[in-house]
Amino acid sequence: MENQTLFQAFEWYLPDDGQHWNRLAQAAPDLAAKGIRKIWLPPAFKATGSNDVGYGVYDLFDLGEFDQKGTIRTKYGTKDEYLQAIAALKENGIEPIADVVLNHKAAADYTETFTVVEVAADDRTQVLSEPFEIEGWTHFTFEGRKKAYNDFDWHWYHFTGTDYDARSQKSGIYLIQGDNKGWANEDLVDTENKNYDYLMYADLDFKHPEVVQNIYDWAAWFVEMTGIHGFRLDAVKHIDSFFMKNFIRDMTEKYGDNFYVFGEFWNGEEAANDNYLDKTDYLFDLVDVKLHQNFFDAGKAGADYDLRTIFDGTLAKNHPEAAVTFVDNHDTQRGQALESTVEEWFKPAAYALILLREAGLPCVFYGDYYGIKGEHAQESFAQILDKLLEIRLNLAYGEETDYLDDPNCIGWTRLGQENAQPIAVILSNHSARSKRMFVGENWAGQEFSDYLGNRSDTVSIEPDGWADFPVNEASVSVWSLKERTSP
């Protein structure tokens, strides 16, 4: 079976030019040739304005079709261009995955008056005030859409909380009062801040039956309208996990097991990830936050980081079948809320650690591949990523043997399938080193070279199938047959 690779097809600082869907459609053949089989598209819905990355979501039923929030197109283009990009990706054998933002709604059309209490930012269960009235931005009418596709209006009672009182012009975290109101049960959301139901804007109340019905109505319309092949679920640690389990169960029952779903559960704690996967019946995968955090720590610490621990606490180690592994993404890039950008010197090794191993579905970040421009500029890693993607597509198969036995130098081998060529991967965070690894007696006497070109020498495989494979200081090498043939 061919290795699958996911590509995150955006970064935070893309230009607000409405041309991104067109660029992705044009890039589809090239991405497919590199082994990209799934692509995570940015949020396609009308948000607070044309410059919104998409997480300040306003109208899920507007994909860049209606004049709302000062624009017809979204940051990325029009609805027609979105559909054309999806078609181009599918024509090239790439499954498009939609970024779905269900936690909140932003930029309401009107204010409404309702009763709230203010709660503490660091303890959402601590009430700071007596009940009082505010004017909150909670009435969504979508007048530019004129009831096309769906006629539902949103009111204050469809939300659990909001963050701004227009009457007093004061920001805070306001818990909406009323029958059956309140945050989600603390067992169903992340326990940071005691109860992390509320994240931002007007927070959806998944206890309200009209909210649940509207989400189901939207999902049916959206999947059938676009032909999308799956969802990336934003901010799931803030969303009632009981709703999420049932929603994804119903979606996969309706659209089949090949409708791929993964969620952003931004919590690096091992027990929290175990618990969330259990509560949601392993119905969808999670991004491997802990592995990213380990990469970040390794890049910062350099030779002081113990590479033997690089997989400790990760989904890749504990739940490899449920892990979406990544190096960086739009939230971790410089200047963003979760900024934890992996150091440039360590990125090639980090990508080798996700692309050339069995565990997880690896995700390549647009910003790492194409580079990032502007104030938070970053160079492109396309040259090294192209080589790693070639190795993943053609060579990274078969039995995996780890040599994670040195704090500053680790490696592993993949022995191939059906006499396919093996690879030996070695990385160092300190001095130039070598590691003795086994690639098989069948390759005795064969010359191996570094596919990445970091080393110019060759390695001869000994009669017993073993060899000493070198690596440069603070570098990574992938050793394979010098005279390579098609797999």
Side-chain angles (χ1 to χ4, degrees), residues 7 9-10 21 24 39-43 82 85-86 89 96-99 228:
F7 186 78
F10 64 104
W21 299 141
L24 291 181
I39 193 162
W40 161 16
L41 299 171
Y82 180 55
I86 288 172
L89 292 165
I97 309 296
D99 199 322
I228 209 80

Side-chain angles (χ1 to χ4, degrees), residues 336-482:
Q336 290 310 302
L338 300 172
E339 180 178 337
S340 49
T341 306
V342 174
E343 294 292 320
E344 275 82 352
W345 76 267
F346 192 69
K347 279 200 175 184
Y351 270 107
L353 283 159
I354 67 170
L355 288 171
L356 306 185
R357 294 181 61 82
E358 290 181 294
L361 172 65
C363 182
V364 174
F365 176 43
Y366 185 101
D368 287 337
Y369 191 84
Y370 291 108
I372 298 168
K373 297 180 179 178
E375 179 184 355
H376 303 287
Q378 178 190 283
E379 64 178 294
S380 164
F381 287 84
Q383 185 175 7
I384 184 70
L385 283 170
D386 278 345
K387 292 178 180 179
L388 290 170
L389 287 167
E390 287 174 8
I391 299 167
R392 176 169 179 79
L393 180 62
N394 297 320
L395 298 175
Y397 296 95
E399 181 183 345
E400 179 178 275
T401 302
D402 285 334
Y403 300 85
L404 311 181
D405 53 1
D406 186 293
N408 297 121
C409 182
I410 60 173
W412 66 94
T413 58
R414 302 293 302 275
L415 299 186
Q417 293 175 327
E418 299 177 357
N419 297 316
Q421 305 161 32
I423 59 172
V425 187
I426 180 171
L427 60 97
S428 168
N429 66 359
H430 192 211
S431 57
R433 303 286 293 275
S434 67
K435 187 167 290 292
R436 191 166 179 79
M437 295 186 284
F438 177 79
V439 294
E441 297 94 333
N442 291 344
W443 308 101
Q446 297 281 358
E447 294 293 313
F448 278 44
S449 62
D450 181 6
Y451 204 119
L452 304 183
N454 292 327
R455 300 278 305 196
S456 59
D457 48 347
T458 61
V459 171
S460 181
I461 307 304
E462 298 169 12
D464 58 2
W466 290 78
D468 292 313
F469 296 96
V471 64
N472 290 338
E473 176 183 354
S475 185
V476 58
S477 288
V478 181
W479 296 90
S480 62
L481 275 178
K482 183 179 179 181

Side-chain angles (χ1 to χ4, degrees), residues 290-347:
K290 179 60 174 173
L291 184 59
H292 159 76
Q293 292 173 342
N294 288 354
F295 290 159
F296 175 72
D297 292 342
K300 286 291 187 185
D304 291 331
Y305 188 86
D306 187 342
L307 290 172
R308 296 173 298 182
T309 68
I310 197 75
F311 293 111
D312 285 3
T314 67
L315 291 172
K317 180 178 180 179
N318 297 331
H319 303 282
E321 72 291 340
V324 175
T325 55
F326 70 105
V327 176
D328 273 315
N329 67 19
H330 63 291
D331 283 323
T332 71
Q333 66 185 109
R334 292 187 176 94
Q336 290 310 302
L338 300 172
E339 180 178 337
S340 49
T341 306
V342 174
E343 294 292 320
E344 275 82 352
W345 76 267
F346 192 69
K347 279 200 175 184

Side-chain angles (χ1 to χ4, degrees), residues 249-277:
R249 176 201 64 202
D250 295 343
M251 291 296 294
T252 51
E253 285 181 0
K254 184 173 183 178
Y255 297 109
D257 291 338
N258 290 330
F259 190 85
Y260 181 67
V261 182
F262 71 105
E264 179 213 21
F265 183 76
W266 199 267
N267 188 323
E269 296 179 4
E270 191 170 4
N273 281 269
D274 292 346
N275 185 45
Y276 190 84
L277 286 168

